[in-house]
Amino acid sequence: MTGSVAFVLHSHLPWFRRNGTFPVGEEWLFQSWSESYLPLIEMLERLAADGHRDLLTLGITPVLAEQMADPYLLGEFHGWLGRRLLDLQWTRSAAPAHDKAALGEVWAHHWTRQTRLLEQLEDGLLTEGLVAPLARLADAGVIELLGGPATHPYLPLMDSPDLIRGQIADGLATAERLFGQRPTGVWTPECGYRPAGRVADPTAPPQHVMPDGTPILRPSEADLPGLEAFWAEAGVDHFVLDGPTLARAAGAPQRDWSTLARVMHPVGDPLDVLDGPVWIGDSDVAAFGRNLAVSYAVWNPHGGYPADEWYRDFHMIDLEGGYKSWRVTDTTSLAKQPYSPDAAAERVRAHAADFVSLVRSHLDPRPDGATVVAAYDTELFGHWWYEGPQWLEAVLRGLADTTVRPTTLRRRLDDRPPTTRLSLPESSWGWGKGHAAWVTDETRWIWSAIREAEARFVDLPDGSSRDAAWRQLVLLQASDWPFMIAREQSPQYAVERVKTHLARFEQACRGHDLEELADIDDPIGAGVPAAIAPPRG
């Protein structure tokens, strides 16, 4: 039987430009660009030169795309890469003899790699930015680029139709400007979905909290169409949701979804709904669901390929030079062995072959045309899993020798439109597949502050102050801040960012120091989108 695998990589980081450097801030951008984005660009260009097409779908949020094209950040990135080489040179020269003997091989590897990254940046990317080569790959049919709302807001809990439309319009306009084409597909933020009906209220204490932490929120007064209606209105006809969203709609029972790694369900199971897109309700918008059994083979809450003992360890770091020179060895001990790039490369080949075999084992018993959607954060490949880009290239090349072909979501939708319609439940990719990763007792004040700012924005008169206030409002609406607090990932930084954007919003509303605000937070679009109704009065 023939089938396809649709790799979908989701690329997102919040707005860090001039909002801190280390340990949280611009450093996060530079780490991800050097470890994931530059290797990804180089790998895709290599495959394109060899004639490969329709390889994968790459989502880049508008707020990240803006930073990938920003001259100031590109210049800072250039300097950061240069300093990394100096740090490595100092580490090698100052190290004691036993470290030089044990780590000499991996230090040489670091030097070659860092030099190559610097050359890659200086060979055009420093001037044109990191989005331009990806746009060329999309134009050539090598990849599909997905867009999204401007700043990655958690759409299921937004209760203003105008502001939902504004986020979407701003984001798609930004993508069109930077990609050279308007996306027809998106990675909806946090895989968040809400059907038509009353919007849940995150500003009030929940009615009930489930054992897994999922809050059951009270309905607000806002009664809105399903989110697919807003996307259809904007010309978007497909997006990605988490697998359990489609599976539950098709009748699959609730379960611990984190245990699905490598669990191949039999043909006829409700999980078959993940083998292709479905139409959402009576709309012309299709949803693709992530296949957790296959996706989790790579990485899941309990492990996956990157936990292999021969791969580079993410957590153990040389505090002097900031380099990671040890292998996983095992996941429980702090006693790590030196990293061996050659040994890791052998494991990459084995794991790539294993993944291709796993995909085939899923598709072989299924009808022609079934598709596996393997979706991940882009930063898994390179940043979190150092060998990830090598593995991905090996898989894409390995598929060329099988009856399974890689595909983009756009190609799959055009080749085989859905034959199934489903009414989908409110959901996300997060903890418990609900709102728990964004709505807690510790984040309720953020949602209340957002609602108050949204209400104030509606009444602002047209002009430069309203444009500046819009910029601060959409940055305030980013889903990153409540997530970082709820999941205890640099929560103090998130609190400071929320308070900062609230203060800047107030500054903009009063018309104070607008040039200063523009220098810190360059507008994503050209002011308030036309999709937003003019101010009342």
Side-chain angles (χ1 to χ4, degrees):
M1 296 295 181
T2 61
S4 58
V5 56
F7 280 103
V8 185
L9 306 186
H10 167 53
S11 315
H12 171 66
L13 283 168
W15 185 259
F16 284 132
R17 184 185 190 275
R18 298 189 186 277
N19 283 281
T21 52
F22 181 85
V24 185
E26 292 175 4
E27 176 93 3
W28 279 17
L29 287 172
F30 302 157
Q31 288 180 2
S32 66
W33 291 356
S34 67
E35 295 172 345
S36 294
Y37 293 85
L38 291 185
L40 179 67
I41 290 169
E42 188 172 49
M43 181 265 286
L44 289 171
E45 289 179 337
R46 199 160 45 238
L47 288 167
D50 290 343
H52 294 271
R53 295 294 183 269
D54 291 322
L55 289 177
L56 56 82
T57 301
L58 179 64
I60 304 179
T61 59
V63 70
L64 176 58
E66 279 282 1
Q67 294 175 98
M68 292 168 70
D70 182 78
Y72 159 77
L73 284 171
L74 290 167
E76 292 295 299
F77 181 43
H78 185 228
W80 181 84
L81 280 176
R83 290 191 296 274
R84 294 284 288 149
L85 274 172
L86 292 176
D87 290 341
L88 179 57
Q89 185 178 29
W90 184 91
T91 298
R92 296 168 73 177
S93 63
H98 62 84
D99 280 351
K100 290 180 179 178
L103 300 174
E105 177 191 4
V106 67
W107 284 341
H109 169 78
H110 288 325
W111 183 268
T112 300
R113 183 178 183 278
Q114 288 296 125
T115 302
R116 172 61 194 137
L117 291 173
L118 195 58
E119 291 172 348
Q120 186 183 1
L121 184 66
E122 292 175 344
D123 189 23
L125 296 183
L126 182 59
T127 302
E128 66 177 3
L130 306 187
V131 174
L134 296 172
R136 287 195 294 270
L137 288 163
D139 288 341
V142 178
I143 62 173
E144 174 191 4
L145 287 173
L146 300 180
T151 58
H152 210 57
Y154 191 55
L155 292 177
L157 298 181
M158 288 187 67
D159 65 355
S160 165
D162 270 1
L163 295 182
I164 293 172
R165 291 187 179 100
Q167 272 273 5
I168 290 173
D170 204 341
L172 293 179
T174 297
E176 185 173 15
R177 172 168 51 85
L178 295 175
F179 300 164
Q181 55 181 259
R182 188 176 180 87
T184 57
V186 299
W187 180 289
T188 188
E190 318 296 4
C191 292
Y193 176 76
R194 175 189 50 72
R198 302 270 290 278
V199 179
D201 183 3
T203 69
Q207 295 176 315
H208 177 64
V209 178
M210 303 292 286
D212 64 5
T214 301
I216 307 302
L217 302 177
R218 303 174 187 276
S220 69
E221 294 301 314
D223 192 346
L224 302 184
L227 289 175
E228 71 278 7
F230 293 94
W231 289 116
E233 184 181 289
V236 168
D237 64 4
H238 63 286
F239 54 73
V240 182
L241 296 175
D242 207 10
T245 302
L246 275 63
R248 286 159 52 199
Q254 186 66 24
R255 60 188 297 174
D256 181 357
W257 301 100
S258 70
T259 63
L260 278 186
R262 308 184 76 92
V263 178
M264 300 294 105
H265 63 271
V267 175
D269 188 278
L271 289 172
D272 282 347
V273 72
L274 302 180
D275 290 340
V278 302
W279 296 121
I280 303 175
D282 60 358
S283 76
D284 293 325
V285 179
F288 288 85
R290 181 171 63 139
N291 185 310
L292 295 185
V294 175
S295 296
Y296 277 178
V298 179
W299 190 241
N300 65 75
H302 310 291
Y305 298 147
D308 186 87
E309 64 177 342
W310 289 100
Y311 288 142
R312 197 186 74 169
D313 189 85
F314 174 81
H315 298 284
M316 191 165 180
I317 187 170
D318 169 13
L319 296 180
E320 296 292 338
Y323 281 88
K324 300 170 184 177
S325 301
W326 294 268
R327 62 184 177 92
V328 172
T329 308
D330 65 68
T331 57
T332 59
S333 172
L334 292 178
K336 305 292 184 181
Q337 297 297 316
Y339 178 66
S340 171
D342 290 341
E346 292 183 12
R347 301 302 295 151
V348 165
R349 289 188 287 271
H351 285 145
D354 178 74
F355 185 83
V356 171
S357 176
L358 182 68
V359 169
R360 291 193 63 183
S361 71
H362 176 83
L363 292 173
D364 280 349
R366 286 170 166 74
D368 285 348
T371 299
V372 168
V373 176
Y376 312 94
D377 284 344
T378 302
E379 286 78 21
L380 172 65
F381 300 96
H383 178 63
W384 299 103
W385 179 20
Y386 181 66
E387 299 79 10
Q390 300 174 48
W391 176 88
L392 185 56
E393 180 172 3
V395 169
L396 291 170
R397 290 188 183 279
L399 289 171
D401 297 326
T402 72
T403 56
V404 179
R405 61 181 176 85
T407 188
T408 62
L409 300 184
R410 175 79 270 160
R411 174 63 63 191
R412 174 59 173 83
L413 186 60
D414 289 344
D415 287 350
R416 291 177 179 265
T419 58
T420 301
R421 291 187 176 274
L422 288 177
S423 296
L424 304 181
E426 188 160 313
S427 56
S428 76
W429 72 264
W431 187 259
K433 306 306 179 185
H435 305 313
W438 299 274
V439 182
T440 65
D441 290 343
E442 291 74 26
T443 66
R444 192 167 299 118
W445 69 274
I446 295 177
W447 293 103
S448 296
I450 290 173
R451 290 291 185 269
E452 292 172 7
E454 290 171 342
R456 186 172 182 186
F457 173 80
V458 169
D459 290 325
L460 288 176
D462 280 330
S464 57
S465 291
R466 193 170 193 243
D467 289 344
W470 168 252
R471 174 60 168 167
Q472 298 307 317
L473 178 62
V474 295
L475 289 170
L476 181 63
Q477 290 170 328
S479 62
D480 308 274
W481 317 134
F483 178 84
M484 292 168 70
I485 294 169
R487 305 307 292 165
E488 297 184 348
Q489 297 181 5
S490 303
Q492 188 55 46
Y493 178 82
V495 169
E496 292 172 358
R497 286 297 300 273
V498 170
K499 291 181 178 179
T500 294
H501 291 302
L502 284 172
R504 292 174 181 169
F505 178 79
E506 177 68 22
Q507 185 178 341
C509 290
R510 295 177 179 273
H512 294 168
D513 302 318
L514 299 186
E515 291 185 3
E516 174 190 333
L517 288 178
D519 182 57
I520 297 171
D521 292 327
D522 289 344
I524 277 188
V528 179
I532 293 183
R536 292 192 293 251

